[in-house]
Amino acid sequence: QIYTMNDQGASNHSEMTDFIFVGFRIQPELHIFLFLTFLFVYSMVLLGNVGILTIILIDSQLNTPMYFFLGNLSFIDLSYSSAVAPKAMANFLSSSKSISFEGCVVQFFFFVLFMVAEGFVLAAMAYDRFVAICSPLQYSIRMSRRLCTQLVFGSYFCGWVTSILLVSITFTLSFCASRVIDHFYCDSHSIEKISCSNIVINRMVSLVLSGIIILPTLIVIMVSYVYIVSTVLKIRSAEGRMKAFSTCGSHLGVVSLLYGTTFFVYLIPPNNPELRKVASVCYILVTPMLNPLIYSLRNKDVKESLKRIFRKAKALL
């Protein structure tokens, strides 16, 4: 169903009052199944990330730079999933499947903000592991509380600036023929497709921003791990090598999940929007669901902290 706008609306984007999501092109009776699937995965996202945040806040023994970054990572995962999932689930049960113009702006703003911030926080975590393994004697000095706070603040600031820029160029476009977004959330690519404005500048700005964000973060991560692997291989005992690698395994798993799914989404041909939607679910919901599992199952400190918390709770009962 395509909605047309009058001539006045065709010349001014401010006449746009709402957008309509196409969502997934499936049989209407399967929408309930899709809603229940999203509800289950989103519940796991909430449970896992709130759990990690609670453990880090409660247990003073986890008051270290690594867990400071991990707590922020959980908050970010929780935030960008929450920017998309609740509205998507509501639309699965709705006949209109609409979102207001302002709602779309807000959803887009927060999604971009936290996605960009996550990339920088993961780079900060890689640097933290590099200092811990390659310069252990200087770790407490180099990874000071002030530096960690600055790195996290800088991550959010970069996300905020990127979000402002992308919102500014995306939502000043004119939408003169259709307000139907072929997606289940407000994605810049899908919004640009229904615009009658020239989007060459938008594409150039998006490309430049992607390069500014992705390249430095990936370079920091890769260079950090080159030095980490080089240092670990010099350790003579197999047990020492395994211990060093185990502190990096969780982080590498999270990095691989995020960047792997994100690159996959943008490598999908434009003529296959349904595959793009399925892939989007991976980094919007599946990755934030798996991140806490990766850290809790592979991390001895987190498991020990859980045991301490359960012992204290049992003693109180």
Side-chain angles (χ1 to χ4, degrees), residues 201-254:
I201 293 176
N202 292 57
R203 292 287 169 88
M204 287 178 63
V205 171
S206 297
L207 188 63
V208 170
L209 284 174
S210 297
I212 292 172
I213 295 161
I214 294 172
L215 283 177
T217 53
L218 275 181
I219 288 170
V220 168
I221 292 168
M222 288 190 291
V223 170
S224 295
Y225 276 101
V226 166
Y227 279 102
I228 287 169
V229 171
S230 175
T231 302
V232 171
L233 291 177
K234 293 175 184 176
I235 299 173
R236 293 184 179 181
S237 70
E239 184 182 348
R241 285 196 297 269
M242 286 299 294
K243 185 178 179 181
F245 276 130
S246 67
T247 64
C248 304
S250 300
H251 179 257
L252 274 176
V254 170

Side-chain angles (χ1 to χ4, degrees), residues 49-64 67-68 71 301-302 304-313 316:
N49 287 290
V50 170
I52 289 287
L53 276 168
T54 304
I55 291 168
I56 291 170
L57 289 171
I58 289 175
D59 195 339
S60 59
Q61 292 188 38
L62 299 183
N63 188 21
T64 64
Y67 293 103
F68 175 69
D301 291 338
V302 172
E304 289 298 322
S305 179
L306 273 172
K307 289 177 184 177
R308 285 194 296 270
I309 291 170
F310 282 131
R311 280 197 297 268
K312 287 179 183 178
L316 290 172

Side-chain angles (χ1 to χ4, degrees), residues 162-192:
T162 305
S163 227
I164 289 289
L165 287 171
L166 289 180
V167 164
S168 300
I169 65 170
T170 302
F171 291 95
T172 51
L173 296 171
S174 295
F175 306 94
C176 50
S178 169
R179 56 185 176 127
V180 180
I181 298 175
D182 191 8
H183 218 305
F184 63 89
Y185 74 102
C186 292
D187 166 69
S188 61
H189 183 266
S190 302
I191 293 171
E192 288 169 359

Side-chain angles (χ1 to χ4, degrees), residues 65-221:
M66 186 174 87
Y67 293 103
F68 175 69
F69 292 130
L70 178 57
N72 278 279
L73 182 68
S74 290
F75 173 73
I76 288 168
D77 283 344
L78 190 61
S79 299
Y80 73 72
S81 290
S82 298
V84 175
K87 183 61 179 175
M89 289 188 291
N91 281 337
F92 291 147
L93 303 179
S94 168
S95 56
S96 65
K97 305 188 187 305
S98 65
I99 186 170
S100 67
F101 182 86
E102 294 78 11
C104 193
V105 172
V106 170
Q107 184 185 73
F108 182 83
F109 176 85
F110 283 108
F111 180 73
V112 172
L113 189 160
F114 289 112
M115 281 295 291
V116 171
E118 177 150 22
F120 283 101
V121 168
L122 287 172
M125 293 174 80
Y127 177 71
D128 172 68
R129 293 299 83 206
F130 157 72
V131 176
I133 291 172
C134 300
S135 305
L137 298 178
Q138 297 179 329
Y139 181 75
S140 59
I141 299 171
R142 292 177 63 176
M143 295 305 297
S144 65
R145 190 69 177 179
R146 182 181 178 183
L147 176 63
C148 293
T149 304
Q150 288 172 341
L151 288 172
V152 168
F153 176 81
S155 299
Y156 289 117
F157 180 75
C158 289
W160 183 80
V161 170
T162 305
S163 227
I164 289 289
L165 287 171
L166 289 180
V167 164
S168 300
I169 65 170
T170 302
F171 291 95
T172 51
L173 296 171
S174 295
F175 306 94
C176 50
S178 169
R179 56 185 176 127
V180 180
I181 298 175
D182 191 8
H183 218 305
F184 63 89
Y185 74 102
C186 292
D187 166 69
S188 61
H189 183 266
S190 302
I191 293 171
E192 288 169 359
K193 283 175 69 176
I194 63 170
S195 170
C196 55
S197 303
N198 188 330
I199 60 169
V200 172
I201 293 176
N202 292 57
R203 292 287 169 88
M204 287 178 63
V205 171
S206 297
L207 188 63
V208 170
L209 284 174
S210 297
I212 292 172
I213 295 161
I214 294 172
L215 283 177
T217 53
L218 275 181
I219 288 170
V220 168
I221 292 168

